[in-house]
Amino acid sequence: MATCMPTATATTIRYNTICFGSPKENLLLSSPLKLPPFWPWQKVKLGPLWVSPMGFGTWAWGNQLLWGYQESMDSGLQQVFNLAVDNGINIFDTADSYGTGRLNGQSEKLLGKFIREYRGKKWARDDIVIATKFAAYPWRLTPGQFVTACKSSMDRLQIQQIGIGQLHWSTANYAPWQEKALWDGLVAMYDKGLVRAVGVSNYGPKQLVKIHNFLADRGVPLCSAQVQFSLLSMGEDQMEIKRICDSLGIRLISYSPLGLGMLTGKYTPSRLPTGPRALLFSQILPGLEPLLRSLGEIAATRRKTIPQVAINWCICKGTIPIPGVKTVEQVQENLGALGWRLTPDESLQLESASGRSSKKMIQNIFQTG
């Protein structure tokens, strides 16, 4: 198959003439084609599922506090969803806690609505995988309550089966006695066929091994582990989690692959985002000059953008990145991370630059040891 450099314009992809394949392939790819920016059969294994190499996160869909969500955005978010699915994205990550105040669960409700109102190819709609997370709320004390949480998510999504049911965080650090009930809840929802696969989120190395073994003893494979993972979050614990996932056949799903936006190249110490992110950015951005410079150099050489290079690094590490999207422009931008790969030398250059950067992303307080 030819290797080409795609340029996305809405849903039409134009391939330039710098292609490396047979003359027949090059002739076919030298004119505008309505194709996704990566071939549809390029999927990665995620437990029993086959999914796109990148998914999209929906934390912002319903979150007013951090992301400024308003219900007037819903029609635009439907366009975001449609464009993603039209271009081969089939995995969407959400959670039963996504949405603030009266909008709790709004992200799941919107995803369900967008799936029902999608007017593209039926096979593309049927191929969608929803990965949702169930919060370890203090009042969820029994396996039955966790199963009820799963059924409530299914009601909001209005689907018959969830792709991946994930435990949102571990209670090992503050309520270890609660943990086993939640694990038993994962087993129950899997055994009842409510979910096709189970995963965890924010689990550190030790707890990840424990829950893997616990589930394996009950005949339930752990298919995924979702953690903060990016060129800003590649500390000792994160890399140990990656090694454990590789050794146990667990797929790592990397959230915040752009460091909440710090790896987009859009912000500087003198140009900060509005809202709660501004304080975090002001503390970290001044120390990121080596990394942002290397990202910019590779982006220029590759004729890509800084976010596309940062996301592609996550893909090259064997993870499934799930950047958040709120606009059509963000979807178009992120789709450019697909269909190509950094060289090993480029990956090493970025990792070295990350090591020279004096600041790192603050780790999620919910992540265990």
Side-chain angles (χ1 to χ4, degrees):
M1 184 166 62
T3 301
C4 308
M5 298 178 66
T7 303
T9 56
T11 56
T12 300
I13 310 301
R14 181 182 296 274
Y15 286 81
N16 64 26
T17 55
I18 307 175
C19 298
F20 305 95
S22 68
K24 182 179 179 181
E25 286 175 318
N26 289 344
L27 177 63
L28 289 171
L29 294 173
S30 61
S31 57
L33 297 174
K34 288 187 176 180
L35 290 173
F38 62 100
W39 301 106
W41 54 84
Q42 284 188 343
K43 296 286 198 293
V44 298
K45 195 82 163 61
L46 181 56
L49 307 164
W50 287 94
V51 301
S52 46
M54 174 183 70
F56 285 140
T58 62
W59 181 21
W61 300 10
N63 187 297
Q64 295 177 316
L65 179 64
L66 190 63
W67 299 109
Y69 167 80
Q70 299 295 328
E71 290 175 80
S72 59
M73 298 176 178
D74 289 357
S75 61
L77 291 175
Q78 175 81 65
Q79 294 177 29
V80 164
F81 177 85
N82 294 348
L83 181 59
V85 177
D86 284 344
N87 282 276
I89 300 299
N90 77 325
I91 180 167
F92 294 85
D93 181 79
T94 184
D96 64 1
S97 62
Y98 284 178
T100 50
R102 66 179 180 83
L103 296 174
N104 195 46
Q106 182 76 349
S107 176
E108 290 181 330
K109 291 177 184 177
L110 288 174
L111 268 175
K113 176 177 181 288
F114 297 160
I115 292 171
R116 293 191 303 276
E117 297 184 2
Y118 176 71
R119 296 294 178 260
K121 301 291 186 182
K122 181 179 183 300
W123 64 263
R125 184 180 68 244
D126 293 344
D127 198 38
I128 292 169
V129 173
I130 299 298
T132 196
K133 299 182 290 294
F134 310 114
Y137 291 136
W139 55 85
R140 290 177 175 168
L141 300 173
T142 68
Q145 287 172 315
F146 220 49
V147 169
T148 298
C150 180
K151 291 179 178 178
S152 296
S153 287
M154 291 167 64
D155 287 343
R156 284 187 290 272
L157 289 159
Q158 294 193 34
I159 57 178
Q160 299 302 309
Q161 188 182 46
I162 289 168
I164 309 172
Q166 306 164 97
L167 178 53
H168 204 154
W169 65 84
S170 167
T171 64
N173 286 347
Y174 62 91
W177 46 267
Q178 184 185 4
E179 190 110 46
K180 185 178 181 299
L182 302 179
W183 293 2
D184 282 334
L186 283 178
V187 172
M189 65 179 68
Y190 180 83
D191 287 345
K192 292 175 182 293
L194 303 179
V195 300
R196 292 189 63 189
V198 301
V200 293
S201 179
N202 296 310
Y203 266 62
K206 293 177 182 177
Q207 286 299 107
L208 181 58
V209 172
K210 286 181 182 178
I211 191 170
H212 170 271
N213 294 341
F214 175 91
L215 294 173
D217 287 344
R218 286 150 183 80
V220 179
L222 181 62
C223 86
S224 64
Q226 184 179 147
V227 294
Q228 187 171 249
F229 189 86
S230 72
L231 284 161
L232 266 182
S233 298
M234 48 179 292
E236 184 177 333
D237 276 356
Q238 304 312 91
M239 300 312 292
E240 179 63 15
I241 291 168
K242 180 64 172 61
R243 286 190 289 270
I244 291 170
C245 286
D246 291 345
S247 68
L248 297 178
I250 302 167
R251 179 69 69 170
L252 193 149
I253 298 175
S254 46
Y255 72 77
S256 293
L258 298 176
L260 298 180
M262 276 183 278
L263 295 182
T264 62
K266 298 175 183 177
Y267 303 106
T268 68
S270 59
R271 188 173 69 251
L272 299 170
T274 58
R277 287 186 297 162
L279 178 60
L280 178 67
F281 280 37
S282 68
Q283 296 172 344
I284 297 177
L285 275 172
L288 294 189
E289 198 275 334
L291 176 56
L292 290 173
R293 183 175 63 247
S294 286
L295 282 166
E297 290 170 357
I298 292 173
T301 301
R302 288 285 196 155
R303 287 191 284 174
K304 296 292 179 180
T305 67
I306 287 176
Q308 289 165 358
V309 172
I311 293 171
N312 191 269
W313 177 85
C314 292
I315 294 171
C316 289
K317 299 301 285 187
T319 79
I320 299 174
I322 49 169
V325 286
K326 291 195 300 180
T327 66
V328 164
E329 291 75 21
Q330 288 173 340
V331 175
Q332 293 171 334
E333 171 91 57
N334 293 342
L335 287 171
L338 298 171
W340 60 285
R341 292 181 73 86
L342 292 164
T343 67
D345 284 346
E346 287 170 330
S347 290
L348 285 174
Q349 177 185 337
L350 290 171
E351 290 160 24
S352 174
S354 176
R356 294 194 309 274
S357 296
S358 61
K359 295 290 186 178
K360 298 291 184 289
M361 188 69 173
I362 297 172
Q363 196 49 257
N364 193 317
I365 61 171
F366 283 105
Q367 181 169 307
T368 57

